[in-house]
Amino acid sequence: MTDCLFCKIAAGEIPADIVYQDDQMVAFKDIAPKASVHILLIPRKHIVSLAELEPGDSGLIGEMLLKTQQIAAEAGLKEGYRVIANSGDGGGQEVPHLHFHILGDVRDDNWVGF
Ligand code: AMP
Ligand code: ZN
């Protein structure tokens, strides 16, 4: 989609601190981190949210969740990490392009901290 912030980041049209990318996905540091490590992982394909996923997206989503292992390891998260996907207004989603938040060092946070 042309007028989508995260599509523009994926296309390199808006700068971001990219930590991983391949032909299917891009991971970059959140501009307003809510934890000492806060990375967003997005598909290059414009999918609005989990609620708009189609059966054909299952492989892509599986690859993305698997890739969180490598991204977290490269970010130094030896003790674990949290993955969050806000979906729609009721889920607190602000950017309408599917993204997984990858967070480290969240032990003192509650589950709905942002
Ligand atoms: P959500 O509320 O789940 O839609 O999360 C959107 C996230 O995108 C927030 O954590 C923002 O801080 C982050 N964000 C917004 N604009 C940018 C940007 N240009 N680069 C990196 N992260 C961004
Ligand atoms: Zn998009």
Side-chain angles (χ1 to χ4, degrees):
M1 182 181 277
T2 53
D3 197 27
C4 168
L5 173 63
F6 285 178
C7 280
K8 287 179 177 170
I9 286 177
E13 295 168 10
I14 289 178
D17 193 345
I18 292 173
V19 297
Y20 175 81
Q21 60 181 322
D22 62 25
D23 59 340
Q24 294 194 95
M25 66 193 87
V26 181
F28 53 92
K29 293 183 181 174
D30 195 292
I31 202 167
K34 301 353 177 247
S36 59
V37 173
H38 188 170
I39 292 167
L40 302 176
L41 176 61
I42 66 170
R44 288 191 183 277
K45 177 183 177 184
H46 181 79
I47 301 170
V48 172
S49 77
L50 292 177
E52 280 76 20
L53 283 176
E54 298 168 352
D57 296 320
S58 60
L60 168 63
I61 297 306
E63 294 291 334
M64 291 178 69
L65 289 174
L66 198 54
K67 192 57 72 175
T68 64
Q69 298 175 350
Q70 178 186 333
I71 292 167
E74 290 177 358
L77 300 177
K78 294 189 180 78
E79 295 182 29
Y81 57 99
R82 179 180 293 171
V83 176
I84 293 175
N86 299 323
S87 184
D89 288 342
Q93 184 179 11
E94 293 177 359
V95 178
H97 179 127
L98 176 65
H99 49 283
F100 293 115
H101 297 260
I102 301 171
L103 298 144
D105 293 327
V106 294
R107 261 177 292 221
D108 296 332
D109 286 357
N110 63 44
W111 278 96
V112 289
F114 73 98

mmCIF file of all heavy atoms in Angstrom, residues 23-55:
data_model
loop_
_atom_site.group_PDB
_atom_site.id
_atom_site.type_symbol
_atom_site.label_atom_id
_atom_site.label_comp_id
_atom_site.label_asym_id
_atom_site.label_seq_id
_atom_site.Cartn_x
_atom_site.Cartn_y
_atom_site.Cartn_z
ATOM 1 N N ASP A 23 13.460 -11.432 2.032
ATOM 2 C CA ASP A 23 12.467 -11.145 1.002
ATOM 3 C C ASP A 23 11.031 -11.142 1.532
ATOM 4 O O ASP A 23 10.121 -10.656 0.863
ATOM 5 C CB ASP A 23 12.597 -12.137 -0.161
ATOM 6 C CG ASP A 23 12.411 -13.575 0.271
ATOM 7 O OD1 ASP A 23 12.556 -13.870 1.472
ATOM 8 O OD2 ASP A 23 12.103 -14.415 -0.591
ATOM 9 N N GLN A 24 10.834 -11.646 2.748
ATOM 10 C CA GLN A 24 9.476 -11.730 3.293
ATOM 11 C C GLN A 24 9.184 -10.762 4.427
ATOM 12 O O GLN A 24 8.018 -10.444 4.682
ATOM 13 C CB GLN A 24 9.232 -13.149 3.845
ATOM 14 C CG GLN A 24 9.230 -14.236 2.826
ATOM 15 C CD GLN A 24 8.643 -15.501 3.424
ATOM 16 O OE1 GLN A 24 7.461 -15.786 3.277
ATOM 17 N NE2 GLN A 24 9.463 -16.234 4.149
ATOM 18 N N MET A 25 10.222 -10.342 5.142
ATOM 19 C CA MET A 25 9.986 -9.585 6.385
ATOM 20 C C MET A 25 11.113 -8.610 6.673
ATOM 21 O O MET A 25 12.221 -8.734 6.140
ATOM 22 C CB MET A 25 9.816 -10.557 7.557
ATOM 23 C CG MET A 25 11.061 -11.329 7.892
ATOM 24 S SD MET A 25 10.777 -12.723 9.020
ATOM 25 C CE MET A 25 10.350 -14.048 7.877
ATOM 26 N N VAL A 26 10.806 -7.634 7.535
ATOM 27 C CA VAL A 26 11.791 -6.642 7.968
ATOM 28 C C VAL A 26 11.618 -6.446 9.472
ATOM 29 O O VAL A 26 10.490 -6.368 9.965
ATOM 30 C CB VAL A 26 11.581 -5.282 7.255
ATOM 31 C CG1 VAL A 26 12.633 -4.268 7.705
ATOM 32 C CG2 VAL A 26 11.611 -5.437 5.738
ATOM 33 N N ALA A 27 12.735 -6.350 10.188
ATOM 34 C CA ALA A 27 12.699 -6.060 11.619
ATOM 35 C C ALA A 27 13.512 -4.794 11.878
ATOM 36 O O ALA A 27 14.618 -4.629 11.350
ATOM 37 C CB ALA A 27 13.276 -7.225 12.418
ATOM 38 N N PHE A 28 12.934 -3.907 12.678
ATOM 39 C CA PHE A 28 13.615 -2.635 12.967
ATOM 40 C C PHE A 28 13.275 -2.196 14.381
ATOM 41 O O PHE A 28 12.285 -2.649 14.974
ATOM 42 C CB PHE A 28 13.193 -1.563 11.944
ATOM 43 C CG PHE A 28 11.699 -1.370 11.798
ATOM 44 C CD1 PHE A 28 11.023 -0.432 12.548
ATOM 45 C CD2 PHE A 28 10.979 -2.162 10.906
ATOM 46 C CE1 PHE A 28 9.657 -0.272 12.419
ATOM 47 C CE2 PHE A 28 9.606 -2.008 10.757
ATOM 48 C CZ PHE A 28 8.941 -1.057 11.516
ATOM 49 N N LYS A 29 14.130 -1.308 14.927
ATOM 50 C CA LYS A 29 13.929 -0.862 16.302
ATOM 51 C C LYS A 29 12.734 0.075 16.394
ATOM 52 O O LYS A 29 12.548 0.958 15.538
ATOM 53 C CB LYS A 29 15.195 -0.170 16.813
ATOM 54 C CG LYS A 29 16.362 -1.138 16.963
ATOM 55 C CD LYS A 29 17.586 -0.472 17.540
ATOM 56 C CE LYS A 29 18.736 -1.475 17.642
ATOM 57 N NZ LYS A 29 20.003 -0.840 18.058
ATOM 58 N N ASP A 30 11.915 -0.132 17.430
ATOM 59 C CA ASP A 30 10.779 0.753 17.665
ATOM 60 C C ASP A 30 11.289 2.153 17.980
ATOM 61 O O ASP A 30 12.248 2.323 18.729
ATOM 62 C CB ASP A 30 9.929 0.216 18.829
ATOM 63 C CG ASP A 30 8.560 0.877 18.887
ATOM 64 O OD1 ASP A 30 8.483 2.092 19.187
ATOM 65 O OD2 ASP A 30 7.562 0.183 18.617
ATOM 66 N N ILE A 31 10.629 3.142 17.388
ATOM 67 C CA ILE A 31 11.093 4.530 17.531
ATOM 68 C C ILE A 31 10.871 5.051 18.946
ATOM 69 O O ILE A 31 11.546 5.997 19.375
ATOM 70 C CB ILE A 31 10.385 5.425 16.478
ATOM 71 C CG1 ILE A 31 11.177 6.688 16.205
ATOM 72 C CG2 ILE A 31 8.957 5.756 16.895
ATOM 73 C CD1 ILE A 31 10.713 7.450 14.970
ATOM 74 N N ALA A 32 9.953 4.449 19.673
ATOM 75 C CA ALA A 32 9.655 4.853 21.053
ATOM 76 C C ALA A 32 9.664 3.601 21.924
ATOM 77 O O ALA A 32 8.599 3.093 22.318
ATOM 78 C CB ALA A 32 8.312 5.565 21.128
ATOM 79 N N PRO A 33 10.846 3.079 22.219
ATOM 80 C CA PRO A 33 10.939 1.765 22.880
ATOM 81 C C PRO A 33 10.271 1.724 24.252
ATOM 82 O O PRO A 33 10.408 2.643 25.045
ATOM 83 C CB PRO A 33 12.451 1.532 22.977
ATOM 84 C CG PRO A 33 13.078 2.863 22.794
ATOM 85 C CD PRO A 33 12.158 3.664 21.944
ATOM 86 N N LYS A 34 9.528 0.642 24.480
ATOM 87 C CA LYS A 34 8.850 0.437 25.765
ATOM 88 C C LYS A 34 9.642 -0.543 26.644
ATOM 89 O O LYS A 34 9.170 -0.928 27.700
ATOM 90 C CB LYS A 34 7.458 -0.152 25.559
ATOM 91 C CG LYS A 34 6.383 0.559 24.718
ATOM 92 C CD LYS A 34 6.617 1.903 24.213
ATOM 93 C CE LYS A 34 5.456 2.391 23.348
ATOM 94 N NZ LYS A 34 5.818 2.556 21.939
ATOM 95 N N ALA A 35 10.788 -0.986 26.177
ATOM 96 C CA ALA A 35 11.646 -1.898 26.943
ATOM 97 C C ALA A 35 13.070 -1.658 26.456
ATOM 98 O O ALA A 35 13.278 -0.981 25.431
ATOM 99 C CB ALA A 35 11.222 -3.348 26.709
ATOM 100 N N SER A 36 14.048 -2.204 27.156
ATOM 101 C CA SER A 36 15.440 -1.941 26.783
ATOM 102 C C SER A 36 15.740 -2.475 25.388
ATOM 103 O O SER A 36 16.563 -1.924 24.666
ATOM 104 C CB SER A 36 16.401 -2.539 27.806
ATOM 105 O OG SER A 36 16.197 -3.922 27.907
ATOM 106 N N VAL A 37 15.062 -3.553 25.007
ATOM 107 C CA VAL A 37 15.079 -4.012 23.619
ATOM 108 C C VAL A 37 13.631 -4.020 23.129
ATOM 109 O O VAL A 37 12.758 -4.625 23.757
ATOM 110 C CB VAL A 37 15.678 -5.431 23.491
ATOM 111 C CG1 VAL A 37 15.510 -5.949 22.064
ATOM 112 C CG2 VAL A 37 17.148 -5.425 23.882
ATOM 113 N N HIS A 38 13.370 -3.301 22.049
ATOM 114 C CA HIS A 38 12.004 -3.233 21.486
ATOM 115 C C HIS A 38 12.131 -3.167 19.970
ATOM 116 O O HIS A 38 12.484 -2.138 19.399
ATOM 117 C CB HIS A 38 11.250 -2.016 22.026
ATOM 118 C CG HIS A 38 9.803 -1.991 21.650
ATOM 119 N ND1 HIS A 38 8.913 -1.090 22.199
ATOM 120 C CD2 HIS A 38 9.070 -2.755 20.789
ATOM 121 C CE1 HIS A 38 7.704 -1.290 21.695
ATOM 122 N NE2 HIS A 38 7.783 -2.290 20.823
ATOM 123 N N ILE A 39 11.861 -4.301 19.361
ATOM 124 C CA ILE A 39 11.999 -4.450 17.907
ATOM 125 C C ILE A 39 10.629 -4.755 17.328
ATOM 126 O O ILE A 39 9.815 -5.471 17.939
ATOM 127 C CB ILE A 39 12.998 -5.598 17.610
ATOM 128 C CG1 ILE A 39 14.412 -5.186 18.059
ATOM 129 C CG2 ILE A 39 12.990 -5.982 16.126
ATOM 130 C CD1 ILE A 39 15.410 -6.336 18.117
ATOM 131 N N LEU A 40 10.356 -4.212 16.151
ATOM 132 C CA LEU A 40 9.123 -4.521 15.431
ATOM 133 C C LEU A 40 9.467 -5.403 14.235
ATOM 134 O O LEU A 40 10.408 -5.106 13.493
ATOM 135 C CB LEU A 40 8.449 -3.236 14.933
ATOM 136 C CG LEU A 40 8.081 -2.211 16.009
ATOM 137 C CD1 LEU A 40 7.504 -0.949 15.360
ATOM 138 C CD2 LEU A 40 7.086 -2.796 17.000
ATOM 139 N N LEU A 41 8.711 -6.464 14.076
ATOM 140 C CA LEU A 41 8.905 -7.385 12.946
ATOM 141 C C LEU A 41 7.664 -7.332 12.074
ATOM 142 O O LEU A 41 6.550 -7.591 12.549
ATOM 143 C CB LEU A 41 9.128 -8.809 13.460
ATOM 144 C CG LEU A 41 9.258 -9.907 12.401
ATOM 145 C CD1 LEU A 41 10.455 -9.665 11.481
ATOM 146 C CD2 LEU A 41 9.366 -11.277 13.070
ATOM 147 N N ILE A 42 7.848 -6.954 10.804
ATOM 148 C CA ILE A 42 6.708 -6.782 9.899
ATOM 149 C C ILE A 42 6.876 -7.649 8.651
ATOM 150 O O ILE A 42 8.002 -7.906 8.199
ATOM 151 C CB ILE A 42 6.540 -5.299 9.461
ATOM 152 C CG1 ILE A 42 7.729 -4.832 8.609
ATOM 153 C CG2 ILE A 42 6.369 -4.402 10.680
ATOM 154 C CD1 ILE A 42 7.519 -3.482 7.936
ATOM 155 N N PRO A 43 5.753 -8.070 8.061
ATOM 156 C CA PRO A 43 5.841 -8.700 6.744
ATOM 157 C C PRO A 43 6.004 -7.612 5.682
ATOM 158 O O PRO A 43 5.499 -6.499 5.852
ATOM 159 C CB PRO A 43 4.478 -9.392 6.599
ATOM 160 C CG PRO A 43 3.554 -8.549 7.418
ATOM 161 C CD PRO A 43 4.380 -7.985 8.563
ATOM 162 N N ARG A 44 6.732 -7.905 4.601
ATOM 163 C CA ARG A 44 6.785 -6.935 3.500
ATOM 164 C C ARG A 44 5.408 -6.760 2.868
ATOM 165 O O ARG A 44 5.061 -5.674 2.397
ATOM 166 C CB ARG A 44 7.784 -7.394 2.430
ATOM 167 C CG ARG A 44 9.226 -7.277 2.878
ATOM 168 C CD ARG A 44 10.187 -7.482 1.715
ATOM 169 N NE ARG A 44 11.558 -7.435 2.158
ATOM 170 C CZ ARG A 44 12.267 -6.308 2.348
ATOM 171 N NH1 ARG A 44 11.719 -5.148 2.110
ATOM 172 N NH2 ARG A 44 13.520 -6.363 2.756
ATOM 173 N N LYS A 45 4.630 -7.841 2.883
ATOM 174 C CA LYS A 45 3.260 -7.783 2.361
ATOM 175 C C LYS A 45 2.398 -6.907 3.262
ATOM 176 O O LYS A 45 2.467 -7.024 4.487
ATOM 177 C CB LYS A 45 2.693 -9.208 2.306
ATOM 178 C CG LYS A 45 1.241 -9.298 1.843
ATOM 179 C CD LYS A 45 0.750 -10.741 1.895
ATOM 180 C CE LYS A 45 -0.725 -10.819 1.501
ATOM 181 N NZ LYS A 45 -1.257 -12.206 1.644
ATOM 182 N N HIS A 46 1.601 -6.039 2.663
ATOM 183 C CA HIS A 46 0.713 -5.199 3.467
ATOM 184 C C HIS A 46 -0.479 -6.018 3.950
ATOM 185 O O HIS A 46 -1.400 -6.308 3.194
ATOM 186 C CB HIS A 46 0.224 -3.973 2.680
ATOM 187 C CG HIS A 46 -0.668 -3.083 3.508
ATOM 188 N ND1 HIS A 46 -0.167 -2.199 4.439
ATOM 189 C CD2 HIS A 46 -2.014 -2.994 3.579
ATOM 190 C CE1 HIS A 46 -1.170 -1.587 5.044
ATOM 191 N NE2 HIS A 46 -2.304 -2.047 4.533
ATOM 192 N N ILE A 47 -0.407 -6.385 5.225
ATOM 193 C CA ILE A 47 -1.513 -7.046 5.917
ATOM 194 C C ILE A 47 -1.858 -6.128 7.072
ATOM 195 O O ILE A 47 -0.960 -5.706 7.824
ATOM 196 C CB ILE A 47 -1.098 -8.433 6.460
ATOM 197 C CG1 ILE A 47 -0.633 -9.347 5.314
ATOM 198 C CG2 ILE A 47 -2.247 -9.064 7.241
ATOM 199 C CD1 ILE A 47 0.027 -10.653 5.797
ATOM 200 N N VAL A 48 -3.119 -5.764 7.228
ATOM 201 C CA VAL A 48 -3.482 -4.754 8.225
ATOM 202 C C VAL A 48 -3.234 -5.252 9.647
ATOM 203 O O VAL A 48 -2.640 -4.554 10.470
ATOM 204 C CB VAL A 48 -4.950 -4.305 8.035
ATOM 205 C CG1 VAL A 48 -5.395 -3.406 9.184
ATOM 206 C CG2 VAL A 48 -5.094 -3.578 6.700
ATOM 207 N N SER A 49 -3.716 -6.451 9.936
ATOM 208 C CA SER A 49 -3.564 -6.967 11.301
ATOM 209 C C SER A 49 -3.798 -8.468 11.291
ATOM 210 O O SER A 49 -4.141 -9.060 10.257
ATOM 211 C CB SER A 49 -4.562 -6.299 12.249
ATOM 212 O OG SER A 49 -5.852 -6.851 12.073
ATOM 213 N N LEU A 50 -3.672 -9.075 12.449
ATOM 214 C CA LEU A 50 -3.980 -10.504 12.563
ATOM 215 C C LEU A 50 -5.396 -10.790 12.077
ATOM 216 O O LEU A 50 -5.666 -11.858 11.509
ATOM 217 C CB LEU A 50 -3.849 -10.970 14.018
ATOM 218 C CG LEU A 50 -2.446 -10.997 14.632
ATOM 219 C CD1 LEU A 50 -2.533 -11.424 16.094
ATOM 220 C CD2 LEU A 50 -1.532 -11.944 13.860
ATOM 221 N N ALA A 51 -6.286 -9.828 12.286
ATOM 222 C CA ALA A 51 -7.698 -10.033 11.931
ATOM 223 C C ALA A 51 -7.914 -10.101 10.416
ATOM 224 O O ALA A 51 -8.965 -10.552 9.965
ATOM 225 C CB ALA A 51 -8.554 -8.919 12.532
ATOM 226 N N GLU A 52 -6.926 -9.646 9.635
ATOM 227 C CA GLU A 52 -7.054 -9.678 8.174
ATOM 228 C C GLU A 52 -6.226 -10.798 7.549
ATOM 229 O O GLU A 52 -6.109 -10.881 6.325
ATOM 230 C CB GLU A 52 -6.638 -8.333 7.569
ATOM 231 C CG GLU A 52 -7.704 -7.261 7.646
ATOM 232 C CD GLU A 52 -7.850 -6.660 9.033
ATOM 233 O OE1 GLU A 52 -6.900 -6.782 9.843
ATOM 234 O OE2 GLU A 52 -8.912 -6.084 9.317
ATOM 235 N N LEU A 53 -5.639 -11.646 8.355
ATOM 236 C CA LEU A 53 -4.861 -12.760 7.801
ATOM 237 C C LEU A 53 -5.753 -13.693 6.995
ATOM 238 O O LEU A 53 -6.920 -13.907 7.336
ATOM 239 C CB LEU A 53 -4.208 -13.573 8.927
ATOM 240 C CG LEU A 53 -2.971 -12.981 9.592
ATOM 241 C CD1 LEU A 53 -2.539 -13.877 10.740
ATOM 242 C CD2 LEU A 53 -1.852 -12.812 8.584
ATOM 243 N N GLU A 54 -5.173 -14.245 5.950
ATOM 244 C CA GLU A 54 -5.873 -15.223 5.121
ATOM 245 C C GLU A 54 -5.152 -16.565 5.254
ATOM 246 O O GLU A 54 -3.974 -16.607 5.629
ATOM 247 C CB GLU A 54 -5.882 -14.743 3.666
ATOM 248 C CG GLU A 54 -6.634 -13.426 3.505
ATOM 249 C CD GLU A 54 -6.421 -12.785 2.141
ATOM 250 O OE1 GLU A 54 -5.569 -13.288 1.369
ATOM 251 O OE2 GLU A 54 -7.096 -11.783 1.876
ATOM 252 N N PRO A 55 -5.845 -17.661 4.935
ATOM 253 C CA PRO A 55 -5.209 -18.981 5.079
ATOM 254 C C PRO A 55 -3.850 -19.069 4.377
ATOM 255 O O PRO A 55 -2.926 -19.710 4.890
ATOM 256 C CB PRO A 55 -6.235 -19.931 4.466
ATOM 257 C CG PRO A 55 -7.541 -19.245 4.709
ATOM 258 C CD PRO A 55 -7.265 -17.772 4.551
#
